[in-house]
Amino acid sequence: EAQVTQNPRYLITVTGKKLTVTCSQNMNHEYMSWYRQDPGLGLRQIYYSMNVEVTDKGDVPEGYKVSRKEKRNFPLILESPSPNQTSLYFCASSKYDPGLAGETYEQYFGPGTRLTVT
Amino acid sequence: GESVGLHLPTLSVQEGDNSIINCAYSNSASDYFIWYKQESGKGPQFIIDIRSNMDKRQGQRVTVLLNKTVKHLSLQIAATQPGDSAVYFCAENMAGTASKLTFGTGTRLQVTL
């Protein structure tokens, strides 16, 4: 089954304790992204990756790191979590499709990780 | 389920009626637009997309309309069903920015019986 998986699904941690949220996709997609979702703000992109070893900042990258050592995995790292990083996090992957009429990016989202930083 | 939109605009529609969900996008340079559906406790799910060289695209029970002049996007759902109840997001992408999507804040669709 084609899917994006995230772990853990729920995490409660304390300020300053480093954590990693894993993301894996089995569709051989080139593109992967991380988003955070907060009430009233919709989804905001944190980081994205166009392929192995190619990553770039999204709209809200502060306080986060990512790596893309393998095509299928795109972990999100919080070196020193703070309470304002309490949020719902989604990983997404998409296939690059040049298409006849232009590029399209149908993104597949993971189930989400609810992070609480106290 | 997860409460991701405590103060979202809400559209209430009776089962069987047509729904129209609107979205104003911000960047006149955006050339690719997507509608997503998010059910409670789940990640967003792709519904339909449209490029800026089109003004209408149809899928199964859904139609997306694009008005570039006023930077407006709409999603029409025909014969709305209870399973259509969800939060709907539009997203825009600017040419040359790969998978960098900017999402709207969403609209909650409630289908009444």
Side-chain angles (χ1 to χ4, degrees):
Chain A
E1 180 190 354
Q3 59 182 351
V4 178
T5 56
Q6 296 177 225
N7 281 292
R9 294 290 313 279
Y10 300 90
L11 179 60
I12 301 174
T13 190
V14 297
T15 298
K17 186 177 181 182
K18 180 179 179 180
L19 66 92
T20 299
V21 184
T22 64
C23 173
S24 182
Q25 51 96 2
N26 62 0
M27 295 168 279
N28 202 36
H29 285 167
E30 293 85 4
Y31 296 143
M32 298 186 75
S33 299
W34 275 103
Y35 296 87
R36 60 178 290 173
Q37 187 173 35
D38 303 288
L41 297 176
L43 288 110
R44 294 179 292 167
Q45 193 173 50
I46 302 171
Y47 269 94
Y48 63 99
S49 169
M50 296 173 64
N51 215 322
V52 175
E53 302 291 2
V54 181
T55 63
D56 205 351
K57 296 177 181 178
D59 297 317
V60 288
E62 294 78 20
Y64 304 95
K65 285 175 55 178
V66 292
S67 69
R68 188 92 182 273
K69 293 185 170 56
E70 306 165 283
K71 198 171 187 179
R72 62 182 292 125
N73 296 324
F74 190 44
L76 179 69
I77 303 156
L78 284 72
E79 295 271 4
S80 183
S82 62
N84 65 11
Q85 292 178 298
T86 292
S87 187
L88 179 60
Y89 291 86
F90 288 100
C91 179
S93 75
S94 56
K95 178 182 177 181
Y96 172 71
D97 183 357
L100 294 174
E103 301 164 352
T104 60
Y105 311 98
E106 179 176 339
Q107 293 209 358
Y108 294 82
F109 283 80
T113 295
R114 168 62 72 183
L115 172 65
T116 302
V117 184
T118 62
Chain B
E2 300 290 354
S3 177
V4 298
L6 296 177
H7 305 292
L8 287 176
T10 299
L11 175 66
S12 189
V13 173
Q14 198 159 20
E15 181 181 5
D17 288 350
N18 296 335
S19 303
I20 300 176
I21 301 171
N22 296 304
C23 175
Y25 64 92
S26 56
N27 192 339
S28 56
S30 294
D31 72 340
Y32 177 55
F33 305 88
I34 310 173
W35 279 101
Y36 285 91
K37 172 186 180 183
Q38 186 175 25
E39 297 174 281
S40 182
K42 297 183 179 179
Q45 180 184 7
F46 175 94
I47 302 173
I48 191 169
D49 60 0
I50 188 168
R51 298 209 60 82
S52 60
N53 59 357
M54 304 170 69
D55 52 21
K56 179 179 180 179
R57 191 171 188 208
Q58 288 184 290
Q60 188 175 14
R61 272 202 314 119
V62 294
T63 301
V64 55
L65 298 177
L66 174 63
N67 184 332
K68 296 180 286 296
T69 303
V70 295
K71 293 191 286 186
H72 184 267
L73 199 63
S74 69
L75 176 71
Q76 301 178 1
I77 305 173
T80 311
Q81 303 168 359
D84 295 326
S85 292
V87 176
Y88 289 81
F89 294 95
C90 65
E92 59 186 295
N93 172 260
M94 194 168 66
T97 60
S99 63
K100 191 178 190 312
L101 289 176
T102 301
F103 282 77
T105 53
T107 297
R108 184 183 307 283
L109 176 65
Q110 290 181 337
V111 181
T112 58
L113 301 177

